[in-house]
């Protein structure tokens, strides 16, 4: 298939882009995976952030170059690729709405809270981190419960076997995997069988694993992320089981 050149520009982290990288890879779509290094003082980023042809109208990453188009904003990029590369046409109107709803909840209620937690100490001076970590875990667990319910009502996991993997499928997988890494043994899908099946049997799981093996990276660009995760795991260790 001939299509415009595709370049996805993001930091060298999973963050907001790994699900898009994995989806493009799993679907065999050629793209340039351009990663801005997480160097001291974000020097590489500082050097490019005035070049809006590269960093987009809001000076934030990710951005997608699709031929001459420059597409900013994670959810907009996902929606654009979903339509442009044929998935929207392959789903009916109801499944498209469900797909977009999953993208939205993954972004607002899974990705953002995890990112805020990992960055909390750096962004919010004086924050009570142990409490914030526990309340974030509780809120994320509630979100997983409602996603479990929706996937069950929608028979979404059976659908996974009937159609090519979608962007929302990839977004949800990466967010589950990030939660597993951040919360360690406090992350469990034991009471969420649909999500457990989704996570275990996900069609792009191997693609995610291979991508991480080839280009290992942090969850976010936070300096000292490994130590922050160890702290978080300590804070939630005694929290009530979810
Ligand atoms: N609303 C944007 C947020 C993008 C965003 O905040 N990106 C961060 C990295 S995860 C960024 O570019 N930070 C650099 C800066 O703000 O200077 C989206 O959903 O894509």
């Amino acid at each position: 298939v001939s299509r415009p050149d595709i370049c996805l520009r993001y930091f060298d982290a999973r963050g907001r882009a790994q699900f898009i990288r994995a989806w493009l890879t799993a679907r065999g779509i050629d793209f340039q995976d351009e990663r801005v290094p997480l160097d001291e003082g974000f020097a590489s980023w500082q050097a490019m952030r005035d070049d809006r042809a590269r960093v987009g109208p809001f000076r934030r990453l990710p951005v997608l170059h699709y031929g001459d188009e420059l597409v900013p904003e994670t959810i907009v990029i996902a929606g654009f690729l979903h339509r442009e590369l044929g998935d929207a046409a392959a789903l009916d109107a109801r499944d498209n709405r469900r797909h977009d709803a999953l993208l939205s909840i993954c972004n607002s209620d899974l990705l953002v809270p995890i990112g805020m937690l990992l960055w909390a100490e750096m962004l919010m001076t004086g924050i009570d981190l142990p409490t914030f970590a526990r309340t974030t875990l509780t809120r994320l667990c509630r979100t997983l419960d409602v996603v479990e319910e929706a996937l069950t009502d929608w028979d979404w996991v059976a659908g996974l076997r009937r159609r090519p993997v979608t962007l929302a499928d990839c977004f949800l997988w990466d967010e589950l995997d990030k939660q597993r890494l951040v919360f360690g043994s406090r992350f469990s899908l034991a009471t969420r069988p649909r999500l457990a099946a989704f996570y275990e049997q996900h069609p792009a799981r191997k693609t995610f694993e291979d991508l991480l093996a080839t280009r290992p990276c942090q969850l976010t660009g936070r300096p000292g992320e490994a130590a922050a995760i160890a702290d978080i795991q300590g804070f939630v260790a005694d929290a009530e089981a979810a």
Side-chain angles (χ1 to χ4, degrees):
V1 185
S2 128
R3 57 172 73 92
D5 286 343
I6 300 177
C7 169
L8 179 68
R9 180 172 302 110
Y10 189 62
F11 295 95
D12 188 15
R14 286 168 74 163
R16 294 175 144 100
Q18 193 77 351
F19 77 99
I20 306 173
R21 295 173 180 138
W23 180 79
L24 289 164
T25 307
R27 296 289 295 273
I29 298 159
D30 253 3
F31 74 108
Q32 193 188 336
D33 183 359
E34 195 186 302
R35 302 190 182 202
V36 179
L38 298 173
D39 41 19
E40 188 69 32
F42 298 105
S44 302
W45 170 243
Q46 298 303 337
M48 71 162 61
R49 73 182 294 283
D50 286 334
D51 183 358
R52 291 166 79 228
R54 291 171 79 203
V55 300
F58 304 141
R59 300 171 197 266
R60 300 269 192 283
L61 302 180
V63 294
L64 179 84
H65 294 269
Y66 190 85
D68 294 336
E69 302 269 1
L70 175 59
V71 187
E73 292 289 308
T74 310
I75 286 293
V76 179
I77 294 169
F80 176 88
L81 289 172
H82 180 71
R83 284 186 302 276
E84 205 63 38
L85 298 181
D87 282 8
L91 299 183
D92 64 20
R94 194 187 58 180
D95 278 349
N96 268 303
R97 280 195 303 277
R98 291 172 173 174
H99 177 269
D100 294 352
L102 278 176
L103 283 181
S104 173
I105 198 165
C106 283
N107 193 54
S108 320
D109 300 330
L110 297 175
L111 180 143
V112 170
I114 281 275
M116 290 292 283
L117 176 59
L118 288 170
W119 280 84
E121 216 174 3
M122 304 190 75
L123 296 180
M124 297 176 269
T125 316
I127 185 159
D128 171 358
L129 205 50
T131 302
F132 188 57
R134 290 182 201 119
T135 53
T136 301
L137 175 59
T138 305
R139 281 188 51 217
L140 287 168
C141 287
R142 288 204 192 116
T143 301
L144 293 187
D145 288 338
V146 295
V147 173
E148 169 79 16
E149 219 167 53
L151 293 191
T152 307
D153 291 351
W154 301 346
D155 209 9
W156 197 261
V157 179
L160 271 187
R161 288 184 273 275
R162 288 196 296 263
R163 52 160 173 75
V165 71
T166 65
L167 279 140
D169 296 330
C170 289
F171 205 168
L172 183 55
W173 192 89
D174 203 45
E175 291 313 311
L176 293 174
D177 197 52
K178 284 195 232 167
Q179 283 198 39
R180 178 183 66 82
L181 292 169
V182 170
F183 295 113
S185 60
R186 299 307 317 279
F187 172 81
S188 166
L189 295 177
T191 59
R192 303 173 185 109
R194 209 67 54 175
L195 274 173
F198 175 89
Y199 179 69
E200 293 301 325
Q201 299 159 24
H202 195 281
R205 182 183 183 132
K206 180 146 183 357
T207 305
F208 274 103
E209 289 168 354
D210 290 350
L211 193 55
L212 282 169
T214 328
R215 303 197 68 173
C217 57
Q218 298 198 159
L219 299 185
T220 72
R222 187 207 195 281
E225 187 184 81
I229 290 175
D231 286 346
I232 290 165
Q233 294 195 0
F235 299 144
V236 297
D238 313 320
E240 200 181 305

